[in-house]
Amino acid sequence: MTTTALPRLRKSRSHYPLWFYLPAGAVYGVLFIVPTIASFYFAFTRWNMSGTEFIGFENFALFFSEPYLFQGMVNTFIYGVLTSGLKVVLGLLLAVFLTSQIIARGYLRSVIFFPTLVSTVGVGITFTVLMDPEEGLINRALAVLGVAGPGWLTDPDLALISVALVDVWKGVGLATLIYIAGVVAIPQEFFEAAKVDGASAYQNLRHITLPLLRPATATVIVLSLIGGLRSFDLIWAMTQGGPGFTSDVVASVIFKQYQAGFWGLSSAGNVVLFLLVAALMVPLYWKLNRKEVEQ
Amino acid sequence: MRRRRSTGVVPGLIAIVLSAVVFLVPFAFIVLTASKTRAESALREFSLPTQWAIVENFMAVIEARDYMLLLAFVNSTILTVASVSIMVVLAAMVGYVMQRRPSRLTPLLNALVLAGLIIPPAVVPTIWVLQGLGLFRTLHGLILIEVAYGLSFCVLLFRAFVATIPRELDEAAVIDGAGPVRLFFRVVFPLLRSVIVTAVIVQSVAVFNDFQNPLYFLPGDTNATVQLTLYNFRSQYTTQWNLLFMDILLITIPPLIMYAFFNRQIVAGLTSGAVKG
């Protein structure tokens, strides 16, 4: 593509001045790139009110030796994988359902989507009240059905998963929407051809819809994994990392260490989060792209 | 065909009931609690208020702490309007030149754009930079932060859309004597209207709902944005659930209005990657 466009390009190059990059580049460079690079230096220092002191890998060693920091890394991984996995599965099922012949499709699509636009902190506070072990609506409803509801946010084993479920509640609408766009883009000819061959509804789904939704799946996984791994607002609004530090993620550890004045440790948290995101995203990106090429 | 229509009624009805329980009940809970008196809201029950106090609660939330919420709405509006306008213009310039002028720089620029989407911003070093510039704890600083974090998404949108505008148009404008600035702002930029609307709406909702960046870069009551009022009110109003939920209700309304008016553009913007990948 580049080679065919070249002769014309040369002629008109000056009409697309490079200085158009400057204003955006200045803001982005100063406020995003510089701090990102600086974090790789500060992560190796003991940095607080009194100054910085180079201490090598000590901050990172803490992340692996201190349970309250290590738990955050494990939780970030669990949270990211759990939320994006659930969003893929539920989003796909909802999209297939909402593109079939049912009544009230428009209403259902809107209802599922609109939590995406609502304040995360507002949702967090609301669900904190709904998930209260005794007074909460969820456990009261379960009690009516004769089930003793768990302490959603007070049980150390459950708190992180409860927050992840609320994250899915809020974000599944976006995944559904992306999948719906993917389903709608599949040419009807495929289904007509399959009909001639006598394919069942399941075979349609398995051999036409699913393979052709791969780009949509890639988008959903990448978006929800990026969002899930750096998720802070919802966790902070619901549990603040508690009980104890059982629902802490790296993003909340960064905030806590910043508030406590351990700026070097907080920056190391950023580097850890960066490495965690990269470790998951790079192979995923490579794999998803390669599969597309093979098609 | 008729048979398929009739089979769609039962699953449709089941879905309506399920969606009401899962998605509408939490919102109804917000509205109902916001309408109750203080004593009744403390029970945190899902019930109709015996005494509607919606107007009183509204006034009480507005007046609380010297009209902090009104100030927060002003701050959030300034933040959203300023950061989204700057972001959109700057990103359109970048997306346009990136698409029109592929060069050896392009792979590097692509990597930078992707980095902006993927890398979690480094908080404390950013505060350090902002302090050096004298922008920490200022609304200007936060505006620029939101611009920096939103650029990548917008550049991707604009670059893809500029590709659909024929180059012949640029050439015609150049022959008519338009310089680069005129060519972009008078000819190309107006043609980007539909994608500008998409970018503006998606980013407005994101900036308006942002909690983390104001928390870090604009702490303190005097400069609070609406999301921070929730956080601040919560500590003050642990027992005044009616006021807390009234605050949530008021903050939820602007994005819902956006959705009601710009449903289609929001959907277009958020699903742009779904088909081509």
Side-chain angles (χ1 to χ4, degrees), chain A:
Chain A
M1 193 197 135
T2 340
T3 44
T4 53
L6 259 179
R8 211 199 273 167
L9 254 173
R10 281 237 172 79
K11 211 171 52 185
S12 56
R13 219 161 223 202
S14 58
H15 305 301
Y16 309 118
L18 284 180
W19 67 261
F20 269 36
Y21 292 142
L22 266 183
V27 176
Y28 188 71
V30 171
L31 293 179
F32 182 73
I33 301 295
V34 168
T36 302
I37 294 169
S39 73
F40 279 88
Y41 165 72
F42 287 124
F44 293 96
T45 65
R46 183 179 292 122
W47 184 23
N48 50 33
M49 297 294 277
S50 49
T52 59
E53 179 197 346
F54 191 82
I55 52 167
F57 282 91
E58 218 171 279
N59 287 328
F60 296 99
L62 276 181
F63 259 93
F64 284 91
S65 60
E66 290 291 337
Y68 67 94
L69 297 175
F70 189 72
Q71 182 80 48
M73 287 175 18
V74 176
N75 283 349
T76 305
F77 181 79
I78 295 173
Y79 191 89
V81 172
L82 186 65
T83 51
S84 68
L86 281 174
K87 282 176 193 174
V88 166
V89 173
L90 291 174
L92 180 63
L93 291 177
L94 284 169
V96 170
F97 179 67
L98 289 177
T99 47
S100 65
Q101 296 287 334
I102 52 156
I103 56 166
R105 278 196 303 201
Y107 155 80
L108 288 170
R109 284 184 196 181
S110 310
V111 161
I112 291 172
F113 178 69
F114 84 95
T116 309
L117 301 173
V118 172
S119 151
T120 309
V121 184
V123 167
I125 294 175
T126 308
F127 271 91
T128 310
V129 173
L130 295 177
M131 284 177 160
D132 191 277
E134 278 107 40
E135 312 246 275
L137 179 62
I138 295 176
N139 280 2
R140 277 183 186 156
L142 286 175
V144 171
L145 299 173
V147 182
W152 298 100
L153 299 171
T154 48
D155 181 342
D157 295 329
L158 204 59
L160 184 75
I161 294 173
S162 301
V163 180
L165 289 179
V166 176
D167 190 314
V168 173
W169 177 88
K170 190 177 185 310
V172 76
L174 180 56
T176 308
L177 211 65
I178 291 171
Y179 271 121
I180 286 177
V183 171
V184 172
I186 298 174
Q188 282 303 311
E189 286 79 16
F190 287 123
F191 295 107
E192 282 158 18
K195 203 173 169 190
V196 173
D197 293 342
S200 67
Y202 170 74
Q203 283 172 319
N204 272 345
L205 181 70
R206 172 72 189 78
H207 296 290
I208 300 175
T209 311
L210 284 187
L212 289 175
L213 282 180
R214 186 163 283 151
T217 306
T219 309
V220 172
I221 292 179
V222 167
L223 278 183
S224 52
L225 207 53
I226 292 173
L229 291 173
R230 52 161 90 168
S231 177
F232 171 79
D233 296 6
L234 195 62
I235 290 167
W236 198 252
M238 292 186 72
T239 64
Q240 309 211 333
F245 45 84
T246 51
S247 66
D248 255 330
V249 291
V250 176
S252 64
V253 167
I254 292 171
F255 184 66
K256 284 179 177 175
Q257 298 307 325
Y258 160 65
Q259 275 197 317
F262 299 123
W263 299 335
L265 192 57
S266 178
S267 301
N270 265 115
V271 172
V272 167
L273 185 56
F274 170 68
L275 294 176
L276 203 63
V277 173
L280 280 171
M281 294 305 297
V282 170
L284 191 71
Y285 200 78
W286 187 70
K287 196 166 179 238
L288 291 171
N289 269 353
R290 198 186 50 158
K291 274 184 180 165
E292 255 171 64
V293 174
E294 274 172 13
Q295 274 183 3

Side-chain angles (χ1 to χ4, degrees), chain B residues 1-224:
Chain B
M1 199 62 205
R2 197 188 298 147
R3 227 185 101 240
R4 292 188 76 182
R5 261 254 171 267
S6 61
T7 52
V9 173
V10 176
L13 285 175
I14 296 173
I16 290 171
V17 173
L18 267 180
S19 71
V21 171
V22 175
F23 289 101
L24 294 185
V25 165
F27 283 95
F29 184 80
I30 296 174
V31 176
L32 291 174
T33 310
S35 320
K36 288 176 179 173
T37 59
R38 181 174 178 178
E40 202 179 2
S41 69
L43 301 174
R44 283 168 282 162
E45 276 173 344
F46 185 68
S47 60
L48 283 175
T50 49
Q51 197 185 342
W52 290 82
I54 194 158
V55 179
E56 291 89 323
N57 291 343
F58 177 77
M59 297 310 292
V61 166
I62 298 281
E63 282 166 12
R65 290 218 205 163
D66 284 337
Y67 299 91
M68 184 172 99
L69 188 60
L70 283 187
L71 187 68
F73 263 101
V74 172
N75 282 338
S76 276
T77 309
I78 296 173
L79 172 68
T80 308
V81 172
S83 64
V84 173
S85 333
I86 298 173
M87 190 192 302
V88 163
V89 174
L90 297 194
M93 288 165 73
V94 172
Y96 163 72
V97 178
M98 267 179 94
Q99 199 281 326
R100 285 295 198 248
R101 186 176 178 170
S103 67
R104 269 176 305 171
L105 269 180
T106 310
L108 173 70
L109 294 173
N110 278 332
L112 283 173
V113 169
L114 274 185
L117 285 181
I118 292 174
I119 299 176
V123 179
V124 192
T126 308
I127 293 175
W128 172 71
V129 169
L130 284 174
Q131 272 174 335
L133 297 170
L135 289 171
F136 184 53
R137 286 175 190 269
T138 67
L139 199 53
H140 300 92
L142 186 58
I143 289 170
L144 291 176
I145 289 282
E146 298 286 3
V147 171
Y149 295 170
L151 273 175
S152 289
F153 174 82
C154 293
V155 167
L156 285 183
L157 270 185
F158 284 115
R159 198 184 55 183
F161 195 83
V162 169
T164 66
I165 297 175
R167 233 174 235 277
E168 285 72 19
L169 217 66
D170 305 6
E171 282 159 14
V174 169
I175 289 167
D176 287 347
V181 175
R182 225 177 137 86
L183 167 63
F184 176 69
F185 283 101
R186 286 296 171 80
V187 180
V188 178
F189 197 71
L191 291 172
L192 299 175
R193 210 187 63 182
S194 68
V195 76
I196 289 172
V197 173
T198 301
V200 165
I201 290 162
V202 172
Q203 292 295 342
S204 300
V205 173
V207 172
F208 187 82
N209 281 340
D210 187 14
F211 169 70
Q212 190 174 10
N213 295 318
L215 181 68
Y216 277 123
F217 305 121
L218 196 62
D221 277 4
T222 49
N223 280 322

Side-chain angles (χ1 to χ4, degrees), chain B residues 216-231:
Chain B
Y216 277 123
F217 305 121
L218 196 62
D221 277 4
T222 49
N223 280 322
T225 66
V226 286
Q227 305 302 324
L228 285 185
T229 64
L230 282 181
Y231 183 66

